[in-house]
């Protein structure tokens, strides 16, 4: 079967899935993109009337939209149009389905299209492969690979079409909710989403779309989130709020001061605040020797929440040990 069971929320292999209407969720994310994308990119949202009920992990759907929007922005440096579209479709026979191995049934079709530079024919077959990227080495090649993985984890299907110079269109099919259907996504028990207790986090990320998406997710997980765009600004905030900031979550590559330099600055100034680094590629060489948590970017929000919770628990345990020995 290809669609989730009805329950709100449900726990499948320690991941939280929610039954909800995708339409208002996407509307709110479009508002976020309108606030964060450059003004020379016009955003259009189109949909047909109806309920778009799906069973999903909302943070992962947010990742999909964010990653596709970031790729569209990068493909339109001089501006253009980003169109996001939702519609219900039903295929009564496998032969009528638009993609190979796509079973018949009711689906929510989500389309994300841009008018950018397009994807060359020799690149298109590899677009969802991990670490495959046409960007500079400092930029992540994980975005589209994660999009593909998220869609497949939700028993969905994804396709991309593109013409050089005329943009690219990503089409995703999410299973429409039906009461009798079931799904068993393959996920790790370690990926349980864990909420905070009002602790303050400092998020350091120069990409406005990624920063806002992570910040909103962490806020929903009951954290207070301070935001800034580079390591220099982060140091100024830390000096003012040193006693209240519990964890720093920082991108590695940023203007003025990156995440590694920020980490070294904290060490040199004897500021004992844990740091989680977000990087587009696995740390190697000198970076691999750092005594610091790191995650591939863009992060899985469930894994990020688990790392933050573990770090906070470790800090709490150390504080108790210190008090008991005084």
């Amino acid at each position: 079967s290809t669609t989730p069971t009805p329950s709100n929320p449900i726990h499948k292999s320690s991941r939280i899935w929610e039954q909800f209407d995708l339409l208002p969720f996407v509307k709110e994310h479009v508002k976020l993109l309108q606030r964060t994308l450059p003004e020379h990119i016009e955003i259009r949202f189109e949909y047909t009337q109806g309920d778009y009920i799906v069973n999903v992990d909302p943070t992962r759907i947010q990742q999909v939209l964010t990653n596709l929007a970031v790729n569209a922005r990068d493909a339109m440096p001089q501006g253009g149009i980003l169109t996001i579209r939702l519609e219900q479709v039903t295929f009564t026979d496998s032969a009528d389905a638009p993609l190979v191995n796509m079973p018949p049934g009711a689906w929510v079709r989500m389309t994300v299209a841009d008018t950018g530079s397009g994807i060359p024919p020799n690149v298109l077959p590899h677009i969802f492969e991990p670490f495959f990227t046409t960007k500079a080495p400092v930029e992540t090649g994980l975005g589209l690979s994660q999009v593909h993985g998220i869609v497949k984890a939700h028993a969905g299907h994804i396709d991309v079409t593109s013409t050089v110079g005329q943009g690219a269109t990503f089409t995703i099919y999410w299973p429409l909710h039906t009461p009798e259907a079931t799904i068993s996504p393959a996920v790790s028990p370690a990926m349980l989403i864990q909420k905070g207790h009002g602790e303050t986090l400092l998020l350091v990320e120069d990409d406005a779309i990624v920063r806002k998406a992570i910040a909103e997710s962490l806020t929903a997980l009951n954290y207070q989130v301070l935001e800034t765009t580079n390591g220099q600004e982060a140091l100024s905030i830390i000096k003012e709020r040193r006693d209240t900031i519990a964890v720093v979550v920082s991108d590695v590559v940023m203007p003025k001061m990156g995440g590694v330099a920020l980490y070294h600055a904290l060490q040199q100034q004897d500021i004992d605040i844990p740091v989680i680094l977000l990087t587009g590629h696995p740390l190697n060489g000198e970076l691999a020797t750092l005594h610091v948590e790191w995650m591939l970017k863009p992060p899985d929000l469930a894994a990020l929440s688990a790392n933050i919770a573990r770090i906070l628990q470790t800090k709490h345990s150390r504080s108790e040990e210190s008090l008991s020995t005084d």
Side-chain angles (χ1 to χ4, degrees), residues 121-186:
N122 63 313
V123 172
L124 203 58
H126 307 284
I127 202 69
F128 296 121
E129 295 177 5
F131 302 109
F132 181 85
T133 179
T134 58
K135 300 178 181 180
V138 298
E139 300 190 57
T140 178
L142 283 173
L144 293 179
S145 174
Q146 287 202 350
V147 166
H148 184 270
I150 291 170
V151 172
K152 291 300 182 182
H154 287 83
H157 295 261
I158 184 170
D159 189 31
V160 55
T161 58
S162 180
T163 300
V164 174
Q166 298 182 29
T169 298
F170 289 86
T171 304
I172 300 172
Y173 294 89
W174 305 105
L176 190 67
H177 166 74
T178 55
E180 68 277 8
T182 59
I183 185 172
S184 299

Side-chain angles (χ1 to χ4, degrees), residues 32-39 41 43 69-70 73 82 209:
L32 167 65
L33 295 177
Q34 289 171 335
R35 295 195 302 267
T36 53
L37 281 177
E39 292 183 358
I41 294 179
I43 303 176
V70 167
R73 178 204 62 189
L82 171 61
I209 299 177

Side-chain angles (χ1 to χ4, degrees), residues 83-100:
T83 302
I84 299 174
R85 183 181 300 108
L86 283 179
E87 54 191 325
Q88 294 181 23
V89 293
T90 301
F91 307 107
T92 57
D93 189 272
S94 296
D96 298 327
L99 301 179
V100 177

Side-chain angles (χ1 to χ4, degrees), residues 225-295:
V225 183
L226 304 175
E227 302 176 39
T228 188
T229 60
N230 62 69
Q232 287 185 2
E233 295 175 358
L235 281 176
S236 298
I237 294 173
I238 290 170
K239 289 177 181 179
E240 296 177 0
R241 305 284 299 272
R242 178 172 180 172
D243 294 334
T244 60
I245 296 174
V247 179
V248 174
V249 180
S250 175
D251 188 15
V252 167
V253 179
M254 295 177 291
K256 297 184 180 179
M257 177 185 286
V260 175
L262 171 60
Y263 169 78
H264 284 307
L266 294 177
Q267 296 295 303
Q268 293 168 0
Q269 298 177 32
D270 198 28
I271 299 176
D272 187 22
I273 299 178
V275 176
I276 298 176
L277 294 179
L278 306 180
T279 174
H281 301 280
L283 297 185
N284 51 45
E286 178 186 358
L287 299 184
T289 65
L290 296 177
H291 297 290
V292 61
E293 294 286 339
W294 65 271
M295 301 182 64

